[in-house]
Amino acid sequence: MMKRREDILDSIPLDLSLEIFSRLPSKSIARFRSVSKQWGSMLHRQYFTELFLTRSWARQRLLITLEGNGEFRVFSSPQLQHPYGKSSFVVVSADFHVKFSLPAKTCGLTSGLICFSYNSINKVENALVPVIFNPTTRKYVSLPKLTNSSWYKAFNIFLGFDPIDKQFKVLFMPYPEFGNENRILTLGTGEMSWRKVQCPLSLYPLNKWICINGVLYYLADRMSDGKWPSLMIVCFDVRSEKFKFIEAEECFYATLINYKGKLGGIREIYDNDSNTLELRMWVLEDVEKQEWSKYVYTLQDDEFVDLSFVTVAGVTETGEIVLSMYKSNLVYVIYFNPERSTHQSIGIQGFGDSDYNDVNRHTASVFVDYVEDLNVNDLKYIKSSQDLNIFEE
């Protein structure tokens, strides 16, 4: 007589069973949880959730979005842990996750969730609809609509995560001339609704942000005293909902990064005469004293990648700077180790339609250190609702 799967599991030591499950994708965990109450109880344990996250950090991925022509697609690819091999160029394939069949404004990635918004236009209403999406499970939640039509002209939306209370919060910041009606929404608190939040300064939020250890950082311009730019880094504590501000004139146009748990910024400057790329990096060593460390690195063009077109994707947990470029239906990724002054070029393929060859109509965004987190997958408000039919296989 054939043994049931749970009977087989009973014959395996619990620690070994959890170790085996922790190495599987989150989609498999979701299926196995429904096999029986015993398996469901075991795979919902906090110990297993933490073990799974530890294993996920060992298999980090790059998350890639391609946007254009009224749609965008989401892919992922393995993030090379030791990219400096004998070959100077490696080609890998991307995994397709989902296609969004509507024009959307991508906001960014925080703790495994993508935040984006789209404009819902019909004869009855004109409303901005923010959406939170999990690219691994393809589950999402559409947030309450924002119906002030003036907000569409200039605004930004940011997604922050509080690691203490395990809460995600969405921050909506319109430009000052369209009203200082800043809003915030906490995900998963019963019937979700927007609340007013007061920001002490009148700022123009820019679409550059990152969340590190419960603090949401984003660039903003206050345009005070007729001087431009007057750049600030806004520090928003997700838990307390309090604002702090850092002067950041030198970091203007820099990509915000997480450098080993500290806020940083990298600005890329290409020299056409020498065919070299200069990376200027700042790392915030002391928030209260606003003390920065500054570094400058130089990369030379190679036969595979024209560095004049690359942008900073981020910095890995181990401190490697990741650059990216989209060309000829390939996403090129360059891993640069600043301590060794070595770099490795990777070509990522598998993006489908030839239309995506047109870089003038499509843009690619690359996010580093993407991991599967069961805490995120278990969020009850991230679900496949019926009010937003935007997905295509």
Side-chain angles (χ1 to χ4, degrees), residues 110-333:
T110 296
S111 296
L113 296 181
I114 291 179
C115 173
F116 70 90
S117 60
Y118 74 98
N119 197 358
S120 173
I121 303 176
N122 55 47
K123 296 180 180 180
V124 179
E125 61 181 353
N126 180 7
L128 176 71
V129 182
V131 175
I132 306 299
F133 171 66
N134 185 331
T136 299
T137 63
R138 298 178 73 248
K139 294 183 178 181
Y140 64 92
V141 60
S142 53
L143 305 182
K145 298 175 182 179
L146 295 162
T147 55
N148 187 331
S149 60
S150 65
W151 286 343
Y152 303 120
K153 298 178 182 178
F155 66 90
N156 266 307
I157 293 180
F158 310 104
L159 176 64
F161 178 68
D162 168 23
I164 297 177
D165 292 336
K166 308 294 184 184
Q167 284 187 329
F168 286 89
K169 295 183 181 180
V170 183
L171 186 64
F172 175 84
M173 306 294 287
Y175 276 20
E177 62 261 38
F178 302 118
N180 286 314
E181 298 184 25
N182 309 315
R183 296 285 191 271
I184 190 169
L185 179 147
T186 303
L187 296 179
T189 54
E191 187 172 344
M192 293 179 289
S193 60
W194 295 98
R195 301 177 279 112
K196 288 186 178 181
V197 61
Q198 296 297 324
C199 182
L201 299 181
S202 181
L203 300 169
Y204 293 78
L206 306 181
N207 191 26
K208 293 187 177 184
W209 59 276
I210 193 169
C211 189
I212 305 174
N213 299 327
V215 179
L216 180 63
Y217 301 95
Y218 66 90
L219 294 180
D221 197 320
R222 63 183 177 186
M223 300 182 70
S224 61
D225 302 324
K227 297 180 180 180
W228 192 92
S230 180
L231 191 72
M232 307 289 293
I233 294 179
V234 181
C235 313
F236 179 75
D237 187 286
V238 179
R239 192 163 189 246
S240 67
E241 301 183 3
K242 301 297 184 183
F243 289 88
K244 290 184 179 180
F245 307 92
I246 299 174
E247 297 280 353
E249 294 292 345
E250 289 188 271
C251 294
F252 190 55
Y253 290 130
T255 299
L256 297 184
I257 60 168
N258 180 349
Y259 187 78
K260 299 182 178 181
K262 297 179 180 179
L263 173 69
I266 299 179
R267 181 181 177 186
E268 61 271 16
I269 301 175
Y270 187 79
D271 188 327
N272 288 298
D273 295 329
S274 61
N275 295 325
T276 57
L277 178 70
E278 183 180 271
L279 299 175
R280 298 180 183 179
M281 183 171 76
W282 297 264
V283 178
L284 183 59
E285 302 292 350
D286 190 307
V287 177
E288 299 301 327
K289 296 180 181 179
Q290 299 193 21
E291 293 180 348
W292 298 81
S293 295
K294 301 178 183 180
Y295 308 87
V296 178
Y297 307 105
T298 302
L299 285 76
Q300 187 78 36
D301 271 348
D302 60 32
E303 59 180 309
F304 302 105
V305 181
D306 181 354
L307 295 178
S308 63
F309 292 100
V310 302
T311 57
V312 175
V315 175
T316 68
E317 185 187 31
T318 55
E320 291 172 327
I321 299 172
V322 180
L323 310 171
S324 66
M325 178 185 74
Y326 179 59
K327 183 180 180 181
S328 300
N329 212 27
L330 280 178
V331 171
Y332 293 86
V333 175

Side-chain angles (χ1 to χ4, degrees), residues 63-108:
L63 193 72
I64 304 164
T65 63
L66 289 182
E67 306 175 42
N69 282 353
E71 64 180 31
F72 68 92
R73 300 182 181 189
V74 182
F75 302 81
S76 69
S77 174
Q79 180 171 298
L80 301 190
Q81 301 303 310
H82 305 286
Y84 309 100
K86 296 181 180 180
S87 175
S88 56
F89 187 73
V90 178
V91 177
V92 299
S93 295
D95 295 326
F96 172 70
H97 286 280
V98 72
K99 172 183 174 181
F100 299 92
S101 301
L102 50 76
K105 179 180 179 181
T106 303
C107 298

